[in-house]
Amino acid sequence: MMKEYWNDNDFNRNMRRKKLKRHTSRGFTLGLCCCLTAMILAFGLTVNHIPPAVDKQPDAHLSKNTVANTDFDTGLTTDTQSIADETTWCLILVNKWNPIPEDYEADFTELANGQLVDTRIYPALQEMLDAARSDYVYPVVVSGYRTTEKQQSLMSEKIADYKSEGYSDTAAVSKAETWVAVPGTSEHQLGIAVDINADGIRSTGKEVYKWLDLNSYKFGFIRRYPAGKTEITGVIDEPWHYRYVGIDAATEIYNQGICLEEYLNKIN
Ligand SMILES: [Zn+2]
């Protein structure tokens, strides 16, 4: 059983490599992604790890996205381009001062509970979730990629909540923006950030957050909005929001107790 399990993961890794090369062609369309993401707007908790028999299944299967396999002349060989992509794509800075580039594109893998993540982070995410489970901690990805429309609807809901509590329009917007990123400025719109909570049965949120805090860097993820860095990140402490940056950057960020903005300032 375990052997098959790891084979599944290996399969996904191989697929990832193939897809990375295809990415260099920039030949796929955002439209395809939009079609797929329209199917996954529900937040629901995953059922993919319960009961234990299902626990052996990988968290995700490759999405049915197809990628136009057309190579454009980029002036770089595919391998060179891939290496450049490897070091830059996962260090993109998106925050309230740095919106997502309008031409941003990604390819997605769908998790078993319908959430989408950028295909390039899926193997590391899978390994991290597996490692947590081997420590008897049971995390669940409750939110991955979000469309602009989804982000807008989250914002509208939050504003409505504050208005119903008696806040003025302006105050409600301002309060909502401390909780929900303005559309175009959420890392969830990249697909390389995930909100992770507990399954609520075998683990508590506190247990999951603690495990992630201590171990996520080993898999290339960082706690993106740590307590005490709000003035720099623009976001309050969010112990559930993890962002992929690659193992090297994540390790340095973890060891130095800095946030992504501080790390990028140092290396640039
Ligand atoms: Zn988040």
Side-chain angles (χ1 to χ4, degrees):
M1 193 65 181
M2 190 55 100
K3 187 164 183 288
E4 286 168 12
Y5 177 53
W6 285 108
N7 283 345
D8 281 338
N9 277 339
D10 288 340
F11 169 76
N12 280 318
R13 282 194 196 97
N14 290 335
M15 286 302 291
R16 171 173 170 267
R17 286 192 199 104
K18 275 188 198 164
K19 279 178 170 267
L20 267 176
K21 289 196 174 181
R22 288 179 179 183
H23 286 170
T24 62
S25 74
R26 300 175 191 159
F28 60 93
T29 63
L30 195 58
L32 272 170
C33 303
C34 292
C35 288
L36 270 168
T37 54
M39 297 158 62
I40 52 90
L41 295 179
F43 258 45
L45 292 180
T46 185
V47 293
N48 56 328
H49 309 310
I50 305 169
V54 183
D55 215 14
K56 299 293 185 187
Q57 298 296 322
D59 284 283
H61 55 273
L62 287 171
S63 68
K64 291 186 174 56
N65 287 20
T66 53
V67 179
N69 193 15
T70 310
D71 287 324
F72 293 107
D73 181 7
T74 59
L76 295 170
T77 66
T78 300
D79 283 349
T80 308
Q81 182 70 52
S82 292
I83 291 164
D85 286 350
E86 282 283 6
T87 56
T88 56
W89 67 268
C90 60
L91 290 177
I92 183 172
L93 178 64
V94 167
N95 58 25
K96 63 163 69 173
W97 306 282
N98 295 277
I100 297 168
E102 281 184 10
D103 59 351
Y104 188 82
E105 293 179 329
D107 190 22
F108 299 101
T109 292
E110 185 178 357
L111 306 189
N113 65 352
Q115 294 296 322
L116 292 186
V117 297
D118 187 308
T119 298
R120 295 168 292 188
I121 78 163
Y122 166 66
L125 179 63
Q126 176 73 58
E127 282 178 39
M128 183 166 76
L129 298 176
D130 290 344
R133 287 174 205 130
S134 69
D135 285 343
Y136 305 102
V137 172
Y138 298 92
V140 173
V141 175
V142 293
S143 185
Y145 171 71
R146 292 178 199 155
T147 61
T148 304
E149 292 71 26
K150 177 64 185 177
Q151 191 67 25
Q152 182 61 60
S153 100
L154 290 175
M155 175 61 84
S156 302
E157 282 169 24
K158 205 69 180 174
I159 292 170
D161 285 351
Y162 279 116
K163 280 191 191 170
S164 71
E165 288 175 26
Y167 287 91
S168 70
D169 287 5
T170 315
V173 169
S174 160
K175 292 281 280 182
E177 287 180 2
T178 65
W179 286 97
V180 181
V182 174
T185 68
S186 169
E187 286 190 337
H188 285 281
Q189 292 175 253
L190 295 172
I192 62 175
V194 284
D195 290 341
I196 303 178
N197 279 331
D199 72 351
I201 298 167
R202 292 173 290 183
S203 290
T204 64
K206 206 172 167 184
E207 288 165 345
V208 167
Y209 300 157
K210 186 178 177 190
W211 190 94
L212 291 170
D213 199 17
L214 296 175
N215 296 288
S216 60
Y217 75 94
K218 300 169 192 166
F219 306 90
F221 288 85
I222 55 166
R223 178 173 171 174
R224 178 67 178 88
Y225 308 119
K229 300 289 186 187
T230 298
E231 284 191 11
I232 305 170
T233 63
V235 178
I236 54 166
D237 177 23
E238 289 194 355
W240 54 83
H241 181 107
Y242 276 80
R243 150 75 194 265
Y244 186 80
V245 293
I247 290 176
D248 290 349
T251 303
E252 196 168 335
I253 287 168
Y254 176 82
N255 286 337
Q256 296 186 24
I258 55 178
C259 62
L260 181 60
E261 283 81 357
E262 291 172 305
Y263 173 77
L264 294 174
N265 267 341
K266 281 181 66 156
I267 64 166
N268 289 328

